[in-house]
């Protein structure tokens, strides 16, 4: 079986709050995550200023179109 390698630009990254929320002492920070949607760079064609959090609980939210 061949492994699929995704470019770094497609890698799901977590926000600072969700990353820290994975540790036992900081689980409450997860609910403070505000990166729930993609924010496009003004006047650009598809470039993102801020990418939404890659956390599984944020995947169902839409993007800013």
């Amino acid at each position: 079986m061949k492994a699929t390698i995704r470019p770094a630009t497609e890698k799901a990254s977590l926000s600072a709050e969700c990353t820290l929320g994975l540790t036992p002492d900081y689980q409450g920070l997860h609910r403070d995550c505000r990166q729930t949607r993609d924010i496009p760079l003004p006047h650009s064609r598809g470039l993102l200023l801020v990418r939404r959090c890659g956390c599984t609980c944020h995947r169902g939210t839409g993007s800013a179109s």
Side-chain angles (χ1 to χ4, degrees), residues 15-53:
S15 67
E17 293 85 1
C18 288
T19 301
L20 193 55
L22 293 173
T23 59
D25 294 336
Y26 295 97
Q27 290 175 342
L29 281 179
H30 178 77
R31 69 177 161 263
D32 293 334
C33 178
R34 300 292 182 253
Q35 289 179 233
T36 57
R37 62 186 180 100
D38 290 335
I39 311 255
L41 186 65
H43 309 290
S44 70
R45 294 181 181 220
L47 295 176
L48 295 177
L49 181 62
V50 177
R51 183 179 297 266
R52 76 172 176 233
C53 179

Side-chain angles (χ1 to χ4, degrees), residues 35-38 52-53 55-64:
Q35 289 179 233
T36 57
R37 62 186 180 100
D38 290 335
R52 76 172 176 233
C53 179
C55 185
T56 56
C57 67
H58 300 314
R59 286 186 187 159
T61 59
S63 62

